[in-house]
Amino acid sequence: MASFKPTRIQVYPKLGEKVTQDTLYWKNYKAPVQIKEFGAITSIDFSPLAPHTYAVTASTRVHIYGPFSQEPVKTFTRFKDTAYSGRFRSDGQLLVAGCEDSAVRLFDVSGRVAIRMFKGHTKAVHVADFTSHGYQILTGSDDYTCKLWDIPNSAELTSYKEHTDYIRCGITSKLNRDLFFTGSYDHTLKLFDARVDKSVMNMDHGQPVESLLLYPSEGLLVSAGGRYVKVWDLLKGGQPLVSLKNHHKTVTSLCLGSNGQRLLSASLDRHVKVYSTTNYKVVHNFDYAASILSLGLAPDDESIVVGMTNGILSIKHKRTPEDSKGAVQQKRQPAYRIFVKGKNYVPKQEDYLVSKPVRQYLAKYDKLLRKFNVSKALDEAMEQWTRLRKSEIPMAVIKELDRRGTLKNALAGRDEKELCQLLSFVIMNLVDTRFTATLTTMAEMLLDIYQSTVGMSSLVDRQLLRLQELLDKETEYQQELMEVLGMLDVLFASAHPRKEVTLPGRDVCLCSIVVHLPILPCGYL
Amino acid sequence: MVAHADTRVVHRGGSKINFRAPVITQDSRFLICVSGECIKVFSTSTEECIHHLQGHKELVTGLVLNPSNHLQVFSCSEDGTIRLWDFTDGILIRVTLLRILSMHVSAKGDVFLVMPVKRNKKEKFGLVSLNLPPSVEQHVMVKGHTIVFQSVSTDPKCIAFGQGGEYVASVKDNVLHVYFLNKKTFYRFALGTSGEMAARNAFTCVACHPKDDCIATGHGDGKIRLWRNFNQEKEYTFSTVHWHHSGVNALCFTPEGTNLLSGGLESVLVQWRYGQEGQKDFLPRLGSSIKEIVVSPDGSLFCTSHTDNKITVIKNCTKVSAVIQGLVHGDGVKTALMVDPRTKALVLNGKPGHLQFYSLQRDQQLYNLDIVQQEYINQSNLDQFEVVKAALDSRGSWLATVEQRSAKEVEISLKLWAFDEHTQSFVLNTTISAPHDGPISEICFSPSSQNSTTLVSVSLDGHFKAWQLTQPDPSDDEEASWSCDFVGDYHSLEPKCCCFSADGSLLAVSFKEVVTVWSPASWDLLTTLSQPPGAIQDLCFGRLSCSKYLLGATDKNLCCWNLLTCSLEWSTALDVSLLLADPLSENVAAFCGAEKTTDLFVFRPSEPRPHFSQQALCTGRVTRAVFAPRDEPLDGCEESSQWLNRSQLYFLTHNMELLTFLTKPEEERLMALSKQVPTIDDSVAMTPFYLLLGKHRKRVPCNDEADDSRLWGESWNFGVPNLAPGNHVMSSCVSSMCLLRDEEQPTEVEMESEKEEEDSEEEGASVPPRPEHESSDTGAKLGPVLTKAEHRELRGVKKLDYSWIRGLVTSNPVVNTTKQMVKTPKQRVKTPKPMAKTPKPMVKTPKPMVKTTKPMVETTNP
């Protein structure tokens, strides 16, 4: 006697992203903390020392936030105009910031008033950074110059005027005190050596450069500008290594994560993308509410801080094991010990093992199907659907009933509420191509059976109207798709050199279509 | 055309064992059933076929136990004979000459037959009573008979004898007839015969209560009526019980009359309590609809025979204890016939939604592979999923199946199964639902021997698709699965068939009249060939030296193209229904449909003259055939049978008979083997293991048990019994048995010195082998010295009957070893040990064994 074969639930290939290690890693963050700043957040910089506070530059202020604080632990407000590029020194004691009023201010992190002020630029200073030994400051300005300043006597050391447009980004080498890079809106990146009076390396990015990033080893330089992120090999004299085009708007900020294993880029298109630095493929993607201007990642990826154009600072903290543990403990059944009773007994050598016959566990709808209770089985499957929102289960049962030729029996004799549920299921899943064929039959049967009751219940009528609306929409949509398909066919046909001779009549027809075809915009597809 | 006297078409397996109700013997140990022209005796406990009772020339139509001697069974056949067999020995006892359709025996031992009765120039079937003359002769002619009923149904279920043979009940259409044999009175009871009622009330079967005056009848609408008081025309009564939703196919009372068993399309065995019909027990899901129900005389075993050529033995009303499965015919074979390269089994669709693996050598089903994996609903007029196409790749590691259900829309799914070495079965790897928009007309694997095989499916939607195994990214932990590699079409014509060349470098796909040749490496269209008029029906590439030829069959012509010149080599007017290339030789077989019969031509594409041709092979068109490679090539040198040397041709006729060709030498050998009839031991069923071990134990009672049990263990260790190729197990058993026999022989000689021998045996058991006092050359010969011819015979012999084993056992082939053995009695016990340890190498060649024994002798010699 063969046992009952349970209904096979069709496993459909998962649509959308695949779950990889990376998605698991980058999804393991808590819900973001959002803080409203006074204006667009242009810069985020983490202190290199624990407890890794971070400076957020927005409007005329620089706020310093603690790692878990929701409010700024320190605020620098002595700016006459919009502040830019608040950066910590490598010891975390000093902070430098540029300003729209062309002055560069140096703050003691514990103080309040600027301890030095560097004046010499004629236009807004968007770039300010400490050199590696910490005694000099690099600045870049909209007056096309970049300068090195000495901190102790606040004097200008050198000035380079090589760029032909605004300098909007710059970075100093952490290994060599004399080297620094600047990127400008004239599409170029330049490497300067403080010991010589002109740039020593020149790279063409192709778009206005918005952000620069050096690898810890300083063999590779990453630049962002336009929609592109480019990686340059410095050891090969500034040869381009990769060009990434994964954003559809300007990339504004770059940052390294996971100890240099991952590269993050933020863009005005509201996305943060995570790349693997081994093959430069996108491994994860974050969505944000507004265009992103600045991005910061705490050491060990403890938190992701994103500043947006609407002045909202979004902070995501990593989920700690303790958080998840708490959730599990809540779920645990109190009678767990009873379930495992005797199951963890390890047989001794002299024990004679009597294997129990394997009991076949059937789902409730399968048990009902085995007894040919078709209506009840459908009810049960529908209940599972409402509980779990797994359309596969009722679909499999409906298919099984259809195969048995008893679907009509199962659908008949329903009251208003049940009928509404069935109809809502049809409406929700009808346009899913995987289910369309079966649900069409089911919808036809429903209409056949309940034709006479139309107009007797407002609930059912509303559902039927919804169904009609859906079908109208769907046919329209399909029609549009067919049109696009036709256009594409024609485009492909004209793109390929024709080898075989087709019927002359058809040829003429094709030509006339080609003539009248409007040029498709790229975004259309 | 030359007539070929030395090659004959024979039935080979696959006969219907469910044609008539089986018979269970008095002691419930054997089950006897009809099987085409012969009768098979099975053991109810081991499912093993014990005897083939051969003798009838035509289909066997009836089988009844002899009430006066429970060791004998009557059988009747369409050839007009009744034979009385002693089934335990398998000996034919008596033959009577008549024309018979089915037979019955009343409890008193009278024989009744259903046979055609001429009346008013209309042929009707009548029930005829027959008195067998009490003769001891082998051959008896019976003339006198009396007609009991003028018009009866030919189905034996429609006639039943009641209460010790007092009356006989017969149903036909809507009428129940009861005839009291003693009183010679006749009653007729009719049920509503008009309109719809007639069809619903039609009788389907009848059974009589063994103790009570009660007749149970089954009806077309699923009702069962219990008739009482039927010895009066007017005051008869009947009660009705109803459970079956469609017609009752079989009814049977248990021997004590306490229960009534019924079965039908639902494949549920229903057990009704006699007297309280409200209570019933069910045994559901017996596989397929029940055709017959039989209860053993002691009531302990039930036996149901099913439409899918299966007999189920049910113990204690509840448990299925054995299943005897023949080749499942179903409504027709939809898949092509294939040979599994691993098990050498024939693969074709069997039960609905299953693929069966059928061993040709053993005439036994090896296993069923569930393709659809859905609960089968036994209901008529239901569109079921059916396996319509299947293909195996050249190494047997991949199986592709197509299942189809043609309800309102055609639902198709393509499944790919990987062979799992661990579980020795196919495991589902990929399911592709709706691979094509239309029905798939053919699928085939590319024969390339590399790991990457390609599957090509050809569909009526105008496309053919190539599927390939794609290795997933190493980062993902998913398995490799199949995906579509290429979609091809040609002028939006419907493709019909596809074929790969032997090396897998070319793919030919036919589109109506045009054959397109593609390169599977680049999927380029290389060339097109056509020979109008007529659409291409079948395609096949030549093999080996003829691989440059492509053969195509259209409605009226058979064309052969040379692929080097891309031109037509030759063509001939033939209505080819099937083209088949032998994978092991250049031969191509073409089955051609003539008027109503089929002709066979076997030829090489390069030679104009056919090697073999036979006209009027069978009636109807042959659409399924296969070349099964032989285990060992025959060395027949006659020109007309040479094509059968490497492989054997099996084909299915339109009424689903599996036929094959048998050459004369082969046939003679089989005949010689089947003449030796074995006797049967009372305690154990006659199996090869019994022959091997039972005899061994009996002859040498003092042989230690451990040795035996080890041998048993070794024999069973071959793996899953239903998957290990039967002939391998067999030949290993046989060769090891021969060895035992060779060495047993001296025991009979030495019986006088039994005591001494016992002593030596004890020693042998307790101490390691003692030094022997023989010269090393005698020791070297101790192993089996089977001549090559004998060995080939051993392996070539197909397991049609175990009797051949006995033939080998009784004839002692090796004389010289025996002599040596007489000299060395002590070795008798020891030598089996190394052999028992290494039974496997023995299968291949006897030589390794000689090697294993040799070192032993050498070390002991100094």
Side-chain angles (χ1 to χ4, degrees), chain B residues 341-353:
Chain B
R342 279 176 201 268
T343 55
K344 306 277 181 292
L346 191 69
V347 182
L348 65 160
N349 65 334
K351 289 196 288 182

Side-chain angles (χ1 to χ4, degrees), chain A residues 411-440:
Chain A
L411 293 175
R414 302 283 175 165
D415 61 15
E416 186 185 25
K417 201 179 138 205
E418 286 170 331
L419 184 58
C420 278
Q421 199 194 9
L422 287 173
L423 280 172
S424 76
F425 178 77
V426 171
I427 289 163
M428 272 195 84
N429 294 291
L430 187 62
V431 291
D432 194 332
T433 45
R434 301 168 297 183
F435 306 142
T436 305
T438 320
L439 283 182
T440 319

